[in-house]
Amino acid sequence: MSCTFTMKHYREILEAALKAGYVFRGFHQFTNEKRIVYLRHDLDICLEEALDMAALEAELGIQATYFVLVNSPLYNLLAEDSLELLHELANKRHWIGLHIDPAMFPTDNHGEMEKLISKMIEFYADVFHLVPVVSFHRPSPNVLGRDFGSFVSTYSPRFFKEVKYISDSRGVWREGCPCQILRKRQYPSLQMLVHPIWWKTTETESLSDRLHHLLGERLKRFRHYLGTNIEPIGKLLEKEKAK
């Protein structure tokens, strides 16, 4: 087995977990089961990056929590195309939580931050199906290992200290590939953070190819929006197409 950042090996990681007797649960669920994986995905770049991974997990009967960045400069959670993609994730029985950058708040006060985040959860829960779970983007010291009363944090002691935390941040498993960790039942419970952006669809696809594809998809949607909503730009794009 080759431990690569490919969808083929991602399937092998998930299958290793299932074969070893692990169950996949949400951060908002309370359970006393012995072997648990809390599978988490932070969507930092775009929502499209999640689709292949979400489909594979659904095929295996696995549910994961997908965290969407509320202050992303690259996608708008309230845009029609974003809502369609979120609906697609929910239809695959995955959970959706908010990915929140603590730097966006004017205060470091724990209580004030909780109030502001709670308002965000309440707002977005009226727009799409949302669980009251937050994953912090570039977590600051005042959220690491801290509990919140009105929502669940993936960096609370229960998920960050009391279970094993592993992540593919920057496209690297610092403690080795989780396929071995799971196969050996090395830990009774784990939080596994997987960023879909790093995972290639084929062996031959390079990371550069993948990033260019995702950028191309973003540009295509951007051009379509401008072309259909602003007539002069639409005419300009039609002229470019005709060349």
Side-chain angles (χ1 to χ4, degrees):
M1 182 187 298
S2 178
C3 295
T4 57
F5 276 79
T6 61
M7 292 303 294
K8 177 184 176 183
H9 188 53
Y10 185 62
R11 174 188 287 273
E12 292 170 339
I13 292 171
L14 297 180
E15 288 175 341
L18 293 172
K19 190 174 181 180
Y22 287 92
V23 294
F24 289 78
R25 296 292 181 256
F27 294 89
H28 61 295
Q29 297 177 317
F30 292 90
T31 174
N32 293 319
E33 291 162 297
K34 292 182 179 180
R35 301 191 187 281
I36 307 169
V37 175
Y38 299 97
L39 181 57
R40 160 187 160 199
H41 303 296
D42 291 349
L43 304 183
D44 299 325
I45 307 298
C46 65
L47 301 181
E48 293 93 331
E49 64 187 287
L51 296 181
D52 291 335
M53 196 159 272
L56 172 57
E57 290 160 351
E59 179 189 334
L60 296 174
I62 287 171
Q63 292 173 275
T65 310
Y66 284 81
F67 291 93
V68 292
L69 190 60
V70 296
N71 66 331
S72 171
L74 301 174
Y75 62 83
N76 174 9
L77 287 177
L78 302 180
E80 184 178 353
D81 63 332
S82 294
L83 293 175
E84 288 176 358
L85 291 167
L86 292 173
H87 183 67
E88 190 171 341
L89 288 176
N91 276 348
K92 289 180 169 57
R93 301 185 66 245
H94 296 303
W95 301 291
I96 299 168
L98 295 185
H99 193 34
I100 291 180
D101 186 350
M104 69 185 286
F105 298 109
T107 176
D108 287 333
N109 181 276
H110 191 77
E112 288 300 313
M113 184 183 294
E114 179 168 353
K115 288 180 185 177
L116 293 170
I117 293 172
S118 296
K119 289 179 181 178
M120 284 187 180
I121 293 172
E122 185 178 353
F123 171 78
Y124 282 108
D126 285 337
V127 183
F128 52 83
H129 186 68
L130 186 71
V131 293
V133 185
V134 167
S135 132
F136 287 102
H137 182 61
R138 298 172 184 168
S140 55
N142 66 323
V143 300
L144 285 173
R146 298 286 297 273
D147 279 318
F148 293 84
S150 56
F151 58 85
V152 177
S153 167
T154 62
Y155 289 107
S156 74
R158 181 183 171 212
F159 300 111
F160 193 60
K161 294 181 178 180
E162 295 172 18
V163 306
K164 181 62 180 177
Y165 173 84
I166 56 175
S167 169
D168 67 349
S169 294
R170 301 184 181 181
V172 175
W173 295 109
R174 294 183 182 178
E175 298 183 50
C177 184
C179 69
Q180 300 298 327
I181 294 172
L182 293 163
R183 187 176 293 109
K184 295 174 183 176
R185 299 184 178 92
Q186 201 166 331
Y187 303 99
S189 296
L190 306 92
Q191 176 183 170
M192 189 162 71
L193 170 55
V194 179
H195 297 83
I197 189 69
W198 304 123
W199 294 79
K200 303 177 292 182
T201 53
T202 66
E203 294 276 359
T204 56
E205 182 186 32
S206 67
L207 179 57
S208 176
D209 291 337
R210 174 154 178 76
L211 294 176
H212 276 95
H213 172 72
L214 292 172
L215 287 170
E217 287 297 311
R218 279 284 90 198
L219 180 59
K220 190 188 300 181
R221 290 174 182 270
F222 183 61
R223 288 167 67 93
H224 175 74
Y225 175 81
L226 291 177
T228 54
N229 288 277
I230 305 175
E231 186 177 350
I233 294 180
K235 290 179 178 178
L236 177 64
L237 293 174
E238 285 298 322
K239 284 182 181 178
E240 287 184 2
K241 193 185 296 183
K243 289 180 181 179

